[in-house]
Amino acid sequence: MVERANKPKTLVSTPGFAPQATVTFSEDNSRVRAELPTGESVEVLLHGATVISWKDAAGDEKLWLSDAAKLDGSKAVRGGIPLVFPVFGTAPDHEQTKTLPQHGFARTSRWEFLGKSTSEDSFSLSSASVKLDFGLSSAAAGLDPLARERWPYAFNLIYSVTLTRDSLSTGLVVTNDGEKPFDCQVLFHTYLRVKDINEVAIAGLASTPYVDKVSPAASAPHDDPLAIAAETDRVYTPASASAAVTVSESGEPKFRITRDNLSDVVVWNPWTDKAAGMADFEPKDGFRQMLCIEPGSVSGWQVLEQGDAFEGAQTITLA
């Protein structure tokens, strides 16, 4: 064989194309992990389609997860981003959902992983993103058996988790696939990780009406910023559905939360006594390192007729 002097070299990679996000499964197929080529990552437990981790490129965790959280499918996860559907809390006076467990069944059912998609711009690392899609329906094998018995409606849920270099988005599409109309509520129960709750300030809820579940008599609108110094459980309904909520710590912006078609924002921290009474909340002083900012549609009901769909989403951007 004659060797050519100008023999072309083997290409190590396709020229001009940036590395792509990777998606992997755990050995027991209980969770999905996506990582951008720049190091940012997200991990989703198929039980509840619960986001249990979101890290930046340096590996710093952005979500709070209880040390005692059950990740084996035995109960809802304490921490991360549990998904609330079709009822927020309990609704003993609402005929369709009065017998459902607290926060419904989406967070206690096993979802199906539907696939991934990546950003169209394959030439730039700065715009890299990955979207993970999950599904749950009334016909799914993973549906909580209690839900099938107590909520006999034909529905389909598509849940999307999108990771970019500086943000995490979660979005849910609810479709009525049956002949009977149904009512529903939706909420993303997001546990944000902070260093010290005493140094946290929340802006964007000034002069906003809210329902205070801890002290109903104290539900007067307030000025910015909002500080957390005791048990807090409030449902805010901002006048503008597009208004952002900003979380700062020690005077420095940390998170910016925006909503799409979600009218409400729940602010929650269990503080000392409440945390002490929850078996799956560890460490007991963990309330000092977490804050729940929960976009949702929970102050009323979405009524879906046959073929109707409801869609809502949140985006958490690192400030």
Side-chain angles (χ1 to χ4, degrees):
M1 178 181 291
V2 178
E3 288 290 336
R4 290 183 291 163
N6 297 317
K7 180 180 178 181
K9 296 180 179 179
T10 302
L11 295 177
V12 176
S13 61
T14 305
F17 285 84
Q20 294 296 297
T22 59
V23 175
T24 57
F25 285 81
S26 61
E27 289 187 3
D28 61 357
N29 287 322
S30 67
R31 61 188 71 182
V32 183
R33 184 178 186 274
E35 182 175 345
L36 297 181
T38 44
E40 297 83 0
S41 67
V42 65
E43 191 168 356
V44 184
L45 193 69
L46 291 181
H47 177 66
T50 309
V51 180
I52 57 174
S53 176
W54 168 33
K55 295 180 180 179
D56 64 15
D60 293 330
E61 182 61 64
K62 304 305 175 183
L63 301 177
W64 184 86
L65 184 69
S66 169
D67 290 347
K70 301 298 184 183
L71 305 181
D72 59 0
S74 60
K75 65 178 298 183
V77 177
R78 175 70 64 189
I81 309 180
L83 180 59
V84 173
F85 174 89
V87 60
F88 174 61
T90 58
D93 297 326
H94 186 260
E95 184 63 30
Q96 293 184 11
T97 60
K98 65 182 182 181
T99 61
L100 289 178
Q102 177 167 298
H103 294 333
F105 53 78
R107 64 181 191 152
T108 56
S109 297
R110 183 180 173 92
W111 291 60
E112 178 186 359
F113 177 60
L114 301 179
K116 72 159 187 175
S117 55
T118 55
S119 57
E120 294 182 1
D121 186 354
S122 301
F123 298 91
S124 174
L125 284 177
S126 63
S127 61
S129 70
V130 59
K131 181 166 75 77
L132 307 176
D133 290 325
F134 304 86
L136 180 70
S137 73
S138 50
L143 181 65
D144 185 337
L146 187 64
R148 204 185 307 275
E149 174 186 346
R150 298 184 178 181
W151 208 69
Y153 299 95
F155 69 90
N156 186 61
L157 306 179
I158 301 294
Y159 183 49
S160 299
V161 177
T162 304
L163 174 70
T164 73
R165 293 204 62 187
D166 63 356
S167 71
L168 183 74
S169 299
T170 61
L172 183 69
V173 179
V174 183
T175 305
N176 184 346
D177 285 347
E179 298 180 356
K180 294 188 297 183
F182 62 74
D183 304 343
C184 66
Q185 296 175 327
V186 169
L187 179 129
F188 304 113
H189 200 316
T190 308
Y191 289 72
L192 299 173
R193 177 176 287 275
V194 298
K195 293 180 180 179
D196 183 356
I197 191 63
N198 294 304
E199 298 297 325
V200 167
I202 305 166
L205 297 173
S207 304
T208 297
Y210 63 91
V211 175
D212 194 322
K213 295 187 175 184
V214 177
S215 304
S219 298
H222 54 77
D223 295 330
D224 276 342
L226 171 67
I228 307 297
E231 180 185 352
T232 303
D233 191 356
R234 299 177 176 181
V235 181
Y236 287 84
T237 305
S240 172
S242 61
V245 175
T246 301
V247 177
S248 299
E249 188 167 8
S250 300
E252 296 294 327
K254 191 175 180 74
F255 302 104
R256 184 174 185 270
I257 301 100
T258 55
R259 295 163 291 127
D260 185 1
N261 201 35
L262 297 173
S263 58
D264 306 305
V265 178
V266 175
V267 178
W268 183 73
N269 184 292
W271 214 252
T272 308
D273 293 343
K274 193 89 169 184
M278 293 186 287
D280 61 350
F281 195 101
E282 291 290 350
K284 292 306 179 186
D285 64 352
F287 67 87
R288 301 184 185 279
Q289 282 76 53
M290 54 76 62
L291 171 66
C292 284
I293 302 290
E294 312 166 26
S297 179
V298 297
S299 56
W301 296 90
Q302 295 293 331
V303 182
L304 300 187
E305 303 285 344
Q306 181 179 11
D308 284 351
F310 170 78
E311 183 173 1
Q314 70 163 344
T315 298
I316 311 166
T317 302
L318 301 179

